[in-house]
Amino acid sequence: MGKTKYQQTIIAKLRRLREEKGYSQQKVGYILGLSNGQIGNIESVKQTHKYTLSQIKALCKEFDVRIEQIFLEEDDYKTKNIIDLLIDRIITYGE
């Protein structure tokens, strides 16, 4: 089984951030203790590999973005119970 559409969306956001910050896959691999080949597998839609939640947290810190910016969309901020929504999205990513 491959990655879900939602997992692909989150990984694509992180890839865009990586590229915007000028980070190579090798540099991200170094930060996370992974090979650049593993980062390539994570970023590939054909592979089942994905970032762990702790890796996403580390990338957010490195890229200076809040974790909710990864898991939420602009319209989500209009939601009354945003914390529950964020938790639901993180759970969905992890499944």
Side-chain angles (χ1 to χ4, degrees), residues 24-43 49 51 55:
S24 65
Q25 288 181 343
Q26 183 175 12
K27 185 170 182 174
V28 169
Y30 177 78
I31 291 164
L32 299 178
L34 302 172
S35 71
N36 56 326
Q38 288 173 298
I39 301 301
N41 286 339
I42 289 169
E43 291 185 355
H49 304 80
Y51 289 113
Q55 290 167 339

Side-chain angles (χ1 to χ4, degrees), residues 8 18 22 28 30 39 49 52-53 55 60 63 67 70-71 84 88:
Q8 291 174 20
R18 175 182 68 74
V28 169
Y30 177 78
I39 301 301
H49 304 80
T52 65
L53 294 175
Q55 290 167 339
C60 286
F63 297 152
I67 200 159
I70 302 301
F71 287 101
D84 282 347
D88 288 345

Side-chain angles (χ1 to χ4, degrees), residues 73-88:
E73 299 297 328
E74 190 76 27
D75 286 347
D76 294 334
Y77 290 93
K78 299 173 187 172
T79 303
K80 206 173 191 181
N81 202 343
I82 195 149
I83 300 298
D84 282 347
L85 179 60
L86 177 60
I87 291 168
D88 288 345

